[in-house]
Amino acid sequence: MAEQITENPPVLTKKDFASDQMVRWCPGCGDYAILSSVQAALPELGYKKEDIVFVSGIGCSSRFPYYMSTYGFHSIHGRAPAVATGVKLANPNLSVWEITGDGDSLAIGGNHFIHALRRNIDINVLLFNNEIYGLTKGQYSPTSKAGLVTKSTPFGVAEGSFNAGELAIGAGGSFFARTIDTNPKLMTKVFVESARYKGTSLIEILQNCVIYNDKTHGEVTNRETADEHQLHLEHGKPMIFGKEKNKGIRLNGLKLEVVTIGENGVTEGDILVHDAHEPDPVLHLMLIRMHGPSFPTALGIIRSVESPTYNDILVQQQVNATKNAKFKTMDELLNSGETWEVK
């Protein structure tokens, strides 16, 4: 969280963050709900509009900065982390948000993405994951499911799909959350909490592309079955889900398993309690990897661990260097040693 949030924040509303630009996404696109949820979250954070910056790469999602009444950059493909990093280091008081898609961040910009997570720069990364390249008309992306037929894989995707959460853990990421575009309330809550986290917060948003990969997250988002396929994690609370709230996640040896409370002697006391602040990432990784049909998909703040930020370390280095410098000013440096005057 940026340091400049004042004790008497300006009173702004969701409408204050909407720009005068016409939103140009396909009708029914999940991006609309994400945009609305971000605009709803910002007033809760207490920033002035001029202290907020949205930085995007290339893709459908990356039109996002145009639609925000804040500062913003529509940068180049995969390079948004570099721009966002520069913005944050130049002015640590800004609230910096990176908007990216699965192709933009996990393919073209993979290297930048990995190192932004590793460095723990104090930015918020919203990863729109629709498992397809939508802007360029439906080629498969790193998160496309194996076997998916697309315009670039007419016989089906031959690769295993990339898991953004696994990548984040592997890169040393200290904050990872997952949410869905069909739940604005959850999105807004996650965005607020992620912005208050000091460090790189990665939020994977399961987003639907109605044109090229419709209902790719259908099992998770289907209203009729959502209760059975969504596990909403909250720190300090048991991992219970299901329409009857009688299913839970239990650790069996080294593996997770789904159990039913009230069957085979299982009680609520057997259910795992979520600890988002546990530094050891093993259980967080297991939660990130859960998927149907055997498991529900984990949503909410999965990992949130305090860790030094790149910003703070860099500032401290500058303070130490200044304190221990032999010369305090440029004049002292220029007049040091043997000098002479040319006439």
Side-chain angles (χ1 to χ4, degrees):
M1 182 171 61
E3 294 80 357
Q4 95 297 355
I5 293 178
T6 62
E7 293 182 358
N8 298 304
V11 179
L12 297 173
T13 67
K14 177 181 177 181
K15 289 183 179 179
D16 291 316
F17 291 98
S19 78
D20 59 358
Q21 299 296 300
M22 178 182 293
V23 181
R24 298 179 183 276
W25 285 317
C26 301
C29 177
D31 289 2
Y32 287 97
I34 301 171
L35 174 66
S36 176
S37 297
V38 171
Q39 291 169 340
L42 290 178
E44 296 189 38
L45 297 171
Y47 292 100
K48 295 181 289 186
K49 292 200 294 182
E50 56 267 36
D51 289 335
I52 302 172
V53 183
F54 282 85
V55 181
S56 66
I58 295 296
C60 296
S61 64
S62 293
R63 298 188 59 82
F64 203 96
Y66 296 116
Y67 308 140
M68 296 299 299
S69 181
T70 64
Y71 284 105
F73 289 88
H74 190 177
S75 68
I76 54 178
H77 218 339
R79 272 54 179 172
V83 177
T85 298
V87 170
K88 186 65 182 180
L89 294 183
N91 188 346
N93 291 329
L94 296 176
S95 175
V96 181
W97 299 67
E98 180 196 331
I99 306 297
T100 186
D102 45 291
D104 184 58
S105 61
L106 301 178
I108 291 89
N111 210 23
H112 289 271
F113 184 70
I114 289 170
H115 292 290
L117 292 166
R118 178 179 65 83
R119 290 177 178 135
N120 199 33
I121 301 158
D122 190 16
I123 59 176
N124 313 300
V125 182
L126 305 190
L127 169 58
F128 294 32
N129 185 6
N130 56 20
E131 302 182 355
I132 201 77
Y133 279 94
L135 188 66
T136 48
K137 314 305 181 189
Q139 297 86 6
Y140 84 109
S141 84
T143 57
S144 297
K145 294 181 178 66
L148 180 70
V149 174
T150 73
K151 290 185 176 181
S152 59
T153 56
F155 304 109
V157 174
E159 309 162 9
S161 58
F162 222 173
N163 184 317
E166 288 184 66
L167 180 65
I169 297 291
S174 48
F175 185 103
F176 177 75
R178 184 187 288 137
T179 184
I180 49 177
D181 62 3
T182 55
N183 191 334
K185 185 177 179 180
L186 176 63
M187 280 195 290
T188 301
K189 179 182 178 183
V190 168
F191 296 155
V192 169
E193 291 191 36
S194 66
R196 288 174 173 163
Y197 175 79
K198 192 166 185 177
T200 304
S201 55
L202 172 60
I203 305 99
E204 178 188 26
I205 308 164
L206 305 184
Q207 179 254 342
N208 193 43
C209 174
V210 292
I211 305 300
Y212 297 107
N213 203 16
D214 193 22
K215 296 182 175 57
T216 187
H217 305 298
E219 184 179 72
V220 182
T221 59
N222 187 318
R223 291 184 179 180
E224 300 298 321
T225 59
D227 290 333
E228 306 301 321
H229 295 288
Q230 296 181 12
L231 171 63
H232 291 248
L233 293 171
E234 292 187 63
H235 177 74
K237 294 188 177 181
M239 303 179 192
I240 294 175
F241 68 102
K243 191 173 184 178
E244 306 298 326
K245 298 297 182 188
N246 64 340
K247 294 182 179 178
I249 303 296
R250 184 174 71 174
L251 192 60
N252 184 357
L254 297 178
K255 295 184 178 180
L256 299 179
E257 67 174 355
V258 174
V259 293
T260 301
I261 299 170
E263 292 184 1
N264 302 317
V266 174
T267 68
E268 187 171 325
D270 296 312
I271 306 302
L272 284 171
V273 174
H274 182 46
D275 184 356
H277 306 322
E278 168 58 50
D280 190 323
V282 172
L283 189 54
H284 296 158
L285 186 59
M286 295 169 77
L287 293 170
I288 287 169
R289 298 183 69 177
M290 290 196 312
H291 61 81
S294 301
F295 287 94
T297 295
L299 302 173
I301 311 295
I302 297 175
R303 179 171 176 78
S304 178
V305 178
E306 288 188 15
S307 179
T309 69
Y310 185 85
N311 322 50
D312 288 345
I313 293 172
L314 202 65
V315 168
Q316 190 57 51
Q317 286 180 342
Q318 292 171 339
V319 169
N320 292 340
T322 302
K323 180 181 178 182
N324 299 322
K326 183 178 180 181
F327 307 109
K328 304 299 183 185
T329 67
M330 184 60 72
D331 284 342
E332 289 180 10
L333 175 64
L334 294 175
N335 292 310
S336 64
E338 185 176 348
T339 62
W340 65 90
E341 184 178 356
V342 178
K343 294 185 177 179

